[in-house]
Structures are given as C-alpha cells and as structure tokens.
Amino acid sequence: MEILSFFTFLFSLTLLSTLELSFAADTITSRQYIRDGETLTSSSQRYELGFFSPGNSNNRFLGIWYKITPQVIVWVANRNKPIPDKTGVLTISSNGSLVLIDEGKRILWSSNSSRILANPEAQLLDSGNFILRESTDRSSENYMWQSFDYPSDTLLAGMKLGWNLKTGFERYLTSWRSVDDPSVTDFSYRLEINDAPQLYISTSSKKVARSGPWNGVQFGGIPMAHNKVFKPMVVHNEDELYYMYKPFDDTVLTRIIVNQSSGTMQRFVFNKGSGAWDILYSWPFDTCDHFEQCGANSNCRTSRTPMCECLKGFVPKSQDDWGTPQTTTCVKKSQESDCPDREGFLKLVRMKVPDNNWSNQSMNTQECRAKCLKNCSCMAYANSDISGKGSGCLMWSGDLTDIKECSGSFSWGQDLYIRVPASELGLIKFLDVLCSKIS
Ligand SMILES: *[C@@H]1O[C@H](CO)[C@@H](O)[C@H](O)[C@H]1NC(C)=O
Ligand SMILES: *[C@@H]1O[C@H](CO)[C@@H](O)[C@H](O)[C@H]1NC(C)=O
Ligand SMILES: *[C@@H]1O[C@H](CO)[C@@H](O)[C@H](O)[C@H]1NC(C)=O
Ligand SMILES: *[C@@H]1O[C@H](CO)[C@@H](O)[C@H](O)[C@H]1NC(C)=O
Ligand SMILES: *[C@@H]1O[C@H](CO)[C@@H](O)[C@H](O)[C@H]1NC(C)=O
Ligand SMILES: *[C@@H]1O[C@H](CO)[C@@H](O)[C@H](O)[C@H]1NC(C)=O
C-alpha cells in the first residue's frame, strides 16, 4: 500500500471507530471493520467469521466456522501469519482489498484482488463463502475475490476442487500442520487433469493415494455413489475442470477435510440428533489404496494373502520378491509375441483401474476394444463412463500400475479388460476372440 493511502486508512480507522459492528451483520463496507471479538454471521446463522485460537494455541487467526460448532473451522485467512495477541483487525483498504492488520499496523493477510473498487463490500454468504464485490453490483456473482477460491483444509458444498483451464489456476486443499496450527503443509488433496480426471492425495509432490478416474458416477476407487447425503459431480467445459458436491437436502451439513495427522481425507456429516460430526467415510480406505502398494502389473486385494497377485498372464519378475508389497513387479509370462493374433481380453470386475493414460470419451465399447486389440502396446481398456450401459474409452500402454480389487458391500470399482494370451482365456474365450476378429 502507498504511504499516503495507508495513513488515510489508519486515520479513518480512528475516526470511524464509532461505527463498529454491534449487531449480527453479514457484511462490512469500506467504512467498517471487524476487531478481535467481533464477528460476521451469515444470513441464516449457519456460518460465522471472526478471530479464533486453534486447539491449545493462544495465537489468533481470522477464520470461518459453523456457528453451531465453533470449534470446526472451515477456512483460515492468515494461516502462516499468526497474531500473537488480540489486536487483529479486518477491514477493507482504500484500494478496495480486504486486509488483516495487527497492532503494529503490519499487513498479515490481504485478499490480493486485482481491481480497485469504488464501493467495496465484503459479505459472508450462507454457503460459507466470504466474498468481496462492488456494492452496486449485488445481483451478479462477479466477485472481485472469494474465499472459495483459496480453500484451506476444507471442501464445503459448492466449492470447486480443480482447475481453471484458461489461466492454469488450481484450487486444492492443504492440511493444517496440527490441531494447534493451521499453517499450510504440503499434504494436499487435488484433482489431476489427465485425460480422465482423478483425485489424489499427495505430499511433497509424491502421490500418496489416487481415487481412480471419474467414471460418470464416482471416482472408481472412492465409494461415493448411491449415498443418501450428497451428489458428487465433475464439471468439464472449455474454461474449467473441477470436482464439486451438493447435498440432496440443503439443511444437511457435510464437509470434506484433508488431515495430515491421520493421513486421510475425511467426509463428515453433522448429526442433528447427537449434535456431533459423524465420519461418513475416510480415504485411503484400506492398505490397497496406498499408491503403488503392489508392483506393476499386479492386483492389490486387501482381504487376501498374499495381498499382491500378478495379473493373469503375468509372473513375478523374481521369485524371491513374491508376496513382498511394492517390490513385486510382474512381467509377461511369455516373452515371444503373440500379438495381436493370439491374444484377447480378460474381464476383471470391480477394479480400481490403473493410473490413467489415454482416453476418448466419444468412442463406444466395441471401438475401444478394437482399437486396443490392434495396438500391441495397448495393455488394457475400460469404459470411461459407466453411468449408462458403458461408453467412452480408457486405454493403457506400458506397465499397469496401482490396480486394486474393490471388495466389501460398497458399489465401487468397474470392469477392466486386460490383454492376455488366448491360452489364458480358455476355449470359449478363445473362440470369442476368433469370432470378434472375424466379425
Ligand atoms: C491494495 O492494498 C493491499 C494492502 O495494502 C495490497 O496488498 C494490494 O496489492 C493493493 N492492491 C492494488 C490493486 O493496489
Ligand atoms: C497475488 O496475486 C499475484 C498475481 O496474480 C500472485 O502472483 C500472487 O501469488 C498472489 N498472492 C497470493 C497470496 O495469493
Ligand atoms: C485429524 O486427525 C486427527 C487424528 O485422527 C484428529 O485428532 C484431528 O482432530 C483431525 N483433525 C481434524 C481437523 O478433524
Ligand atoms: C501413459 O503411460 C505411460 C507409462 O506410464 C507414459 O509414458 C505416457 O506418457 C502416458 N500417456 C499419457 C497420454 O498419459
Ligand atoms: C475419438 O473417437 C471418435 C470415434 O471413434 C473419433 O471420431 C475421434 O477422432 C476420436 N478422437 C480422438 C482425439 O482420438
Ligand atoms: C499404440 O499405442 C501407443 C501408446 O498409446 C501409441 O504411442 C502408438 O501411436 C499406437 N500405435 C498405433 C499404430 O496406433
């Protein structure tokens, strides 16, 4: 901020101190501010914004929480810049940005908006989104800045997890360091934009777990379809590619957090009866969800021993490695090429499909199969959309990695077709291969 405007701003703070908020407002304008102890409350009393101390810490942070459970913080502004005392003030600076300053008038956080506003106002919406806009432009959603664009560790209903494809701007979750410290860690939950988008948890840019690609219903490896609480969706258009969810019932509170201390992403639902937050599911779900728990071309099965098993048509590269997770790499049984004449596809059901590779949404299943069969480097195929009878095409070349057999009573996973020598398929399948080549 320029020296001049900074002093004008401080001066106006002193002058206008009689205008402090003494009522449950959801909006501040450039003439108002929020001091430690004062809060904004969204119109239906769902969310509250103000200063808080996390866990056993005495540090103060500006954040948003559920009014009904104030200990559940859903967003933090000054994550890496704690205020050691209660002198924090949030206001709108003379150029129209939100700024958080402390007693020493240091700027601890600002909204980083790129346009100077004439009549700015900041409002805490009932969605939990804290927005900054021109007060003359209330009807549009043309916000100058919004907290939903800068998530902390929490994904609320209506928030986007993913990418602006035009600008390369990514919205993703990063966990708190500990319950006492909301500072940003590299433990994150994000959307990977390959041909087929998938969610993953990573730390230091290493994948910890991946969801499997979005298949039109859910991310194959996270059992979220057919739940009664929320509808998951992936939006893909020219400008954006993101994951988002909506509760079926707007009065139901649900949230996702990414939690470094448990190493998981957790989905909570507020239980009105008990007044507590119940965990609907957490993910990684089981050992097989840990990224590349088993080596290449092997299948991870949580409930079996050994957990890792070579796919049909593959054998352990080294017999000594057998059964040792991660080190068991499997290689093709027969090295001499049968391809493409004496090969076919084996169907594996309820699979988290391999880490993704190539896709074509407009191909149908037959075209997909034919294209994969023709190309000897194609190792497997699957539908990219299983919402109807199955459509779209995913194909994998090279080693098949991070495959899991989805077990239990959930409805998850999908059919995966792996290329195997016809000798592995049995007579009927062999005929099937021949017939499909003739037809
Ligand atoms: C507005 O002021 C804030 C706080 O001084 C500063 O961080 C920001 O860069 C300024 N924005 C513009 C557009 O000048
Ligand atoms: C503020 O915006 C600039 C330019 O868009 C960007 O480089 C910078 O990282 C942003 N800072 C924060 C804290 O978001
Ligand atoms: C993260 O997980 C730890 C250990 O399970 C738990 O104590 C903590 O409350 C969780 N954090 C949040 C924000 O839920
Ligand atoms: C497919 O996977 C192979 C092996 O991991 C990799 O080299 C290639 O870049 C991937 N192709 C695409 C389109 O992602
Ligand atoms: C996808 O498949 C359709 C139908 O076979 C084809 O017309 C189209 O060219 C393919 N697109 C790409 C990028 O391969
Ligand atoms: C076979 O698949 C590989 C890997 O996807 C690709 O690079 C190659 O161009 C394909 N070959 C043919 C003939 O389509």
Side-chain angles (χ1 to χ4, degrees), residues 357-358 371 374-378 395-397:
N357 219 272
W358 184 92
K371 188 168 166 96
K374 238 188 304 181
N375 188 334
C376 290
S377 65
C378 178
M395 291 195 323
W396 291 268
S397 60

Side-chain angles (χ1 to χ4, degrees), residues 34-232:
I34 297 169
R35 291 184 304 206
D36 197 322
E38 298 167 339
T39 60
L40 292 180
T41 304
S42 71
S43 63
S44 78
Q45 309 285 302
R46 183 172 281 192
Y47 293 98
E48 194 165 25
L49 177 145
F51 291 86
F52 72 97
S53 288
N56 294 319
S57 166
N58 290 321
N59 284 329
R60 305 295 284 170
F61 296 88
L62 178 76
I64 298 173
W65 55 84
Y66 291 98
K67 200 169 167 68
I68 196 169
T69 55
Q71 74 283 7
V72 177
I73 309 293
V74 299
W75 181 78
V76 185
N78 53 319
R79 289 183 75 179
N80 293 332
K81 294 215 176 144
I83 311 171
D85 52 32
K86 297 197 171 185
T87 62
V89 175
L90 174 73
T91 190
I92 300 179
S93 78
S94 51
N95 69 13
S97 294
L98 280 162
V99 288
L100 176 62
I101 57 171
D102 65 4
E103 190 177 34
K105 314 302 175 207
R106 284 186 308 144
I107 294 173
L108 297 172
W109 172 85
S110 98
S111 65
N112 201 17
S113 14
S114 57
R115 233 179 63 199
I116 294 178
L117 302 180
N119 295 294
E121 68 177 11
Q123 185 179 16
L124 179 62
L125 303 180
D126 252 338
S127 58
N129 197 3
F130 188 43
I131 57 134
L132 177 69
R133 68 177 158 213
E134 197 74 84
S135 60
T136 49
D137 189 18
R138 284 209 184 121
S139 55
S140 84
E141 289 192 359
N142 184 18
Y143 309 136
M144 289 306 111
W145 179 88
Q146 53 182 320
S147 60
F148 273 18
D149 280 345
Y150 302 92
S152 298
D153 68 342
T154 304
L155 192 75
L156 296 173
M159 281 173 82
K160 298 170 180 177
L161 188 79
W163 297 79
N164 180 319
L165 301 172
K166 291 264 157 78
T167 63
F169 179 71
E170 185 190 5
R171 300 175 185 89
Y172 60 97
L173 308 184
T174 50
S175 87
W176 288 26
R177 199 156 294 281
S178 72
V179 284
D180 302 327
D181 178 4
S183 63
V184 179
T185 71
D186 63 9
F187 194 77
S188 59
Y189 184 53
R190 29 208 311 190
L191 184 75
E192 183 175 56
I193 37 173
N194 262 327
D195 277 350
Q198 58 182 350
L199 294 168
Y200 66 104
I201 295 175
S202 72
T203 175
S204 314
S205 73
K206 245 184 70 204
K207 269 184 205 166
V208 171
R210 71 176 184 100
S211 65
W214 175 257
N215 59 26
V217 180
Q218 62 189 344
F219 294 94
I222 310 182
M224 38 168 117
H226 309 307
N227 81 83
K228 295 196 170 67
V229 177
F230 69 97
K231 179 180 165 53

Side-chain angles (χ1 to χ4, degrees), residues 73 153 176 179 255 257-264 266 268:
I73 309 293
D153 68 342
W176 288 26
V179 284
R255 63 193 163 92
I257 72 153
V258 58
N259 186 334
Q260 185 175 37
S261 46
S262 63
T264 60
Q266 297 158 322
F268 291 91

